[in-house]
Amino acid sequence: MIWKKFSGEVIGSSILEEVEKAIIRETEKGYRLKVCIGTDSQVKGGIIDFATVIVLLREHHGGFMYIHQEKNPQRMSIKERMLVEVQKSIETAYAICDLLDLYDVDLEVHADINTNPMFKSNKALNEAMGYILSMGFIFKAKPEAFASSTCADKMVH
């Protein structure tokens, strides 16, 4: 899996090593960190562009993110696409959660799903919430899900 910094620079090491280096570097500077993971997607022609982000927030001091993008030629319903987004976020969270526990860094999984039933993405809300919570992660949906609805969104639009 290829991860990049926001600048577009490809990360040479594993994402686990990169996140650990960042945690050590930022905590040595005195920052309290929180990690938010989210995925967004955009249909472009017959291709779905997925972007997953790992956002490291420095309490009261902004943050930075790592991005993984992939394209999928498959057609899927809005609900299926929302659940694939959640699955990608959970896979990423699962890959780094032990590291975050080791350094006592809080983790949230953000879903780009609207809590308002007027929106199409709401159809996937209950399944997504159940999936994330059953994995033991803290769940945030729109409007609180900035990792997916703002950060990842920028990468696919």
Side-chain angles (χ1 to χ4, degrees), residues 48-99:
I48 303 170
D49 188 8
F50 287 96
T52 300
V53 296
I54 300 171
V55 181
L56 280 86
L57 286 180
R58 301 178 197 104
E59 194 171 54
H60 308 297
H61 291 281
F64 54 97
M65 68 179 175
Y66 301 105
I67 304 124
H68 169 71
Q69 279 185 273
E70 60 188 76
K71 299 193 183 316
N72 186 329
Q74 221 173 311
R75 293 185 60 79
M76 47 181 87
S77 68
I78 182 97
K79 182 175 180 180
E80 188 180 3
R81 191 161 52 94
M82 297 296 110
L83 293 173
V84 169
E85 289 177 7
V86 168
Q87 180 185 354
K88 289 178 182 303
S89 294
I90 286 175
E91 285 170 2
T92 302
Y94 192 73
I96 67 168
C97 64
D98 289 345
L99 176 71

Side-chain angles (χ1 to χ4, degrees), residues 88-135:
K88 289 178 182 303
S89 294
I90 286 175
E91 285 170 2
T92 302
Y94 192 73
I96 67 168
C97 64
D98 289 345
L99 176 71
L100 299 179
D101 286 348
L102 186 66
Y103 288 97
D104 194 29
V105 175
D106 291 338
L107 170 66
E108 293 178 357
V109 176
H110 292 190
D112 189 36
I113 296 174
N114 210 301
T115 51
N116 182 334
M118 298 287 291
F119 291 87
K120 288 181 185 170
S121 67
N122 183 263
K123 290 180 176 75
L125 182 65
N126 289 340
E127 289 94 328
M129 192 163 57
Y131 188 9
I132 293 167
L133 294 174
S134 71
M135 293 295 288

